[in-house]
Amino acid sequence: MRLASLFAALALGLAACGPTQETATPAVQQPAQIPDIYKARTDTGPNGEPIPIQAVRAAYLNDRNTRQLVPYNGSEAPGTIVVDPYARVLYHVQPGGQAMRYGVAVGRAGLTFEGRATIARKAAWPSWRPTDNMLRTEPQLYGQFRNGLPGGMQNPLGSRALYLYQGSVDTYYRIHGTLDPSSIGKATSAGCIRMFNQDVMDLFEQIPTGTEVIVRSQAESVRMEGPMVETPEGYVMPATAAPAADPAVTAQAAAPVQTAMVQASPVQSAVPAAPLMDPYAAMAAVPAATPVEPALVSDPFASGSATFVSPVESAVPAR
């Protein structure tokens, strides 16, 4: 199934400013500049084959999504990974009160785990297979993947995956790449914590196995980042920076975002040969209504099924 959000991404673009009055020589619109770190590159696949990675479109890069070194006021030791699924950022803590900040997309499973874990496994171009329970309960959907899906650009885990454990127990919480760069910075249905492929590759090289990961709770997020509001486009920003914010709304930091979740078959419309497909996104997120003003973010999946876990969120490594 092609990702629903890829179609929505077609509507995104950069705003262009034109002259306010006629001039003899019309201004030439300059192409948007993509930072070098997000330009196209070629990586080595799981079998040594070259895999081209497309550049991240400038339309998907905003200040909060773009990798950058920022001041950090947390108490975690340098080297620690801090995931904030509510502010939709990931910090790699650096010495001197700084951190490298990355934008992330958060799936439902990204809100079902909080606390401390350790990165016990790292994988480049990871493979994936449905769980035995998924094969047993929905064979018509997942039977074709019973032997696993090899790593590559057709795999929803993307270019890299970091697997979080507590002791010897797999939390099934993943930090991984994505097939859909337009989703970064938003609340999406598939995946735990997704990053631009270029970003997860950078993080992958920076950290060893054994790295401690701290996933913030909603209360910790509000305490450290302040309340966040969600824009009509699905991104988040600090409530204090929201234009024309209603003070009465801003004061209600616990107000949930009403988000409708609609079921969609993972494979009903999938074309096996299609290079961009996500056969594991069992539902798509759509806003219940376009808000007149940004709405405070707490649980963007509050109105969905509390028991649903998307297949990629409950994935286990191929055996």
Side-chain angles (χ1 to χ4, degrees), residues 241-262:
D246 184 340
V249 174
T250 304
Q252 299 176 10
V257 174
Q258 296 300 317
T259 304
M261 311 300 292
V262 295

Side-chain angles (χ1 to χ4, degrees), residues 268-284:
Q268 277 180 342
S269 59
V271 179
L276 287 177
M277 58 177 288
D278 185 351
Y280 313 112
M283 61 183 182

Side-chain angles (χ1 to χ4, degrees), residues 1 10 34 115 119 313 319:
M1 180 186 76
L10 296 177
I34 299 174
I119 295 175
E313 293 164 356
R319 294 181 175 85

Side-chain angles (χ1 to χ4, degrees), residues 8-63:
L10 296 177
L12 295 176
L14 293 177
C17 296
T20 57
Q21 59 184 6
E22 293 185 1
T23 58
T25 304
V28 178
Q29 183 177 350
Q30 297 298 319
Q33 295 299 311
I34 299 174
D36 289 344
I37 57 176
Y38 292 117
K39 288 183 177 178
R41 63 178 73 176
T42 300
D43 195 42
T44 302
N47 299 311
E49 74 280 16
I51 297 183
I53 299 174
Q54 294 184 348
V56 177
R57 290 179 55 188
Y60 305 151
L61 297 169
N62 56 44
D63 180 66

